[in-house]
Every structure is written in C-alpha cells, then in structure tokens.
Amino acid sequence: MEPFLVRLQPLSEPPTARSTHDGEEFLYVLSGRVTVCLGNLSDVLEEGDSVYYNSTIHTMSIRRQREALILAVIHAGT
C-alpha cells in the first residue's frame, strides 16, 4: 500500500480521459470537494467523506473554484 497526500487544483473543464491501473484505491477528502467517477457512476465527496474502489477505471475532478486536499492510499495488487 502506498499513501499519498494530494493537492488537487480546480479544472477549467471536466476531464475527458479516464485513468486506469491495477489494484484498489482508498480516498479520504481532507478539504474541498472532489467528484469521483467510477464507470457510469459519479459522486461528490466533501470534507470527511471517503471512497474505496477497484482502480481499473476512474476519474477525479474538482467541484467549484477551490482546491481540494485528499489522502489517497493505493494498493497496486499482485
């Protein structure tokens, strides 16, 4: 497992590409708002929210015009 503290900057336009990698991922929002898209589903996470998912297909973007700080923990799998 690899933990990362990630500061996400607001995007002027929503992302069009989805990232993919093997393994699983846990995200915890420390501040701000983050939109997480998993396949055809999307949800807005706010401060104190978390999500755990299979990392094969996902995107992340920032809501509104402020940055977000997240803790991301990635398990690359075997």
Side-chain angles (χ1 to χ4, degrees):
M1 296 175 78
E2 294 183 61
F4 298 93
L5 190 58
V6 182
R7 188 171 308 277
L8 299 167
Q9 299 299 320
L11 299 173
S12 57
E13 296 188 20
T16 56
R18 296 192 182 245
S19 65
T20 180
H21 56 87
D22 291 334
E24 300 164 300
E25 202 163 321
F26 170 80
L27 301 178
Y28 179 80
V29 180
L30 296 164
S31 65
R33 251 181 221 178
V34 178
T35 301
V36 177
C37 300
L38 305 170
N40 294 326
L41 303 173
S42 75
D43 201 3
V44 177
L45 304 180
E46 298 184 357
E47 186 174 322
D49 290 342
S50 63
V51 63
Y52 177 80
Y53 54 88
N54 184 311
S55 302
T56 54
I57 298 178
H58 65 284
T59 60
M60 215 177 346
S61 63
I62 307 305
R63 301 275 298 194
R64 302 198 183 157
Q65 294 301 313
R66 71 185 264 228
E67 69 180 23
L69 184 63
I70 64 168
L71 171 66
V73 181
I74 298 172
H75 178 262
T78 54

